[in-house]
Amino acid sequence: MKHHLGPGLAILALAAALSGCGSSSGTAPAATSPATGTAASASSASSPSSSASSSPAGAAVELKTASSSAAGSIVVDGKGMSLYLFTKDTKDSGTSACTGSCAVQWPPLTTTSGTPTAEGVTGKLGTITGADGKKQVTLNGMPLYYFAKDTKPGDTLGQGVGGVWFLSDPSGAMAKAAGQAY
């Protein structure tokens, strides 16, 4: 008799992610928003980042800008998925402060290229080696992340979560809506 642990582990991982990363201002339905069961951690965490990490070996990450009604001009991946900065990261430290269960909810933007490319992005692009050994893309020395609840291009559900997650503007600064102080 085979036992399938996948759904149980996925739910446990998602629950751990929801309790970490300072995302206390999010809403409770997070555990069921993107997907349920096994797909919750697998598809939500990997589908945004799959545009970068599943690209052919040596292919550069394509970044571009998009317009967000809440934050103005923001950085997105080649498929239009929003990218975020984490205030707990330290600029030019070469490391990410979002690991383990945090990285399930906030998957890193990864690449197989040492020189990511961008259109309309004015900040300096680079890479760091993530905890998993993959190259994570940085903008002005700050790692870039997806938000697992952003399921389609144009989603910006991670903006302001926990007071520590913000969209990136093209210069690499944290994008903030007009009149908001962060």
Side-chain angles (χ1 to χ4, degrees):
M1 175 187 277
K2 284 187 175 182
H3 293 279
H4 296 284
L5 298 175
L9 291 175
I11 292 169
L12 181 61
L14 188 55
L18 294 174
S19 65
C21 301
S23 55
S24 60
S25 71
T27 57
T32 58
S33 290
T36 60
T38 306
S41 66
S43 73
S44 294
S46 65
S47 76
S49 61
S50 65
S51 64
S53 57
S54 68
S55 57
V61 174
E62 293 180 34
L63 299 179
K64 58 186 181 179
T65 60
S67 210
S68 163
S69 60
S73 186
I74 61 169
V75 178
V76 297
D77 73 3
K79 294 183 179 181
M81 297 301 292
S82 301
L83 294 167
Y84 297 87
L85 298 169
F86 186 32
T87 61
K88 294 183 181 183
D89 282 326
T90 302
K91 183 178 177 168
D92 296 323
S93 70
T95 62
S96 167
C98 181
T99 59
S101 62
C102 177
V104 172
Q105 194 68 15
W106 298 93
L109 170 63
T110 59
T111 184
T112 55
S113 171
T115 55
T117 62
E119 180 180 310
V121 176
T122 57
K124 182 181 176 185
L125 291 170
T127 61
I128 60 170
T129 302
D132 60 1
K134 294 180 181 178
K135 291 181 186 177
Q136 183 173 1
V137 178
T138 61
L139 182 55
N140 283 348
M142 294 288 284
L144 291 171
Y145 306 88
Y146 293 102
F147 183 43
K149 289 186 196 177
D150 287 350
T151 58
K152 65 186 181 305
D155 282 354
T156 58
L157 300 174
Q159 176 67 353
V161 169
V164 295
W165 291 98
F166 298 97
L167 293 160
S168 175
D169 77 8
S171 72
M174 292 181 188
K176 299 171 179 106
Q180 289 183 323
Y182 293 106

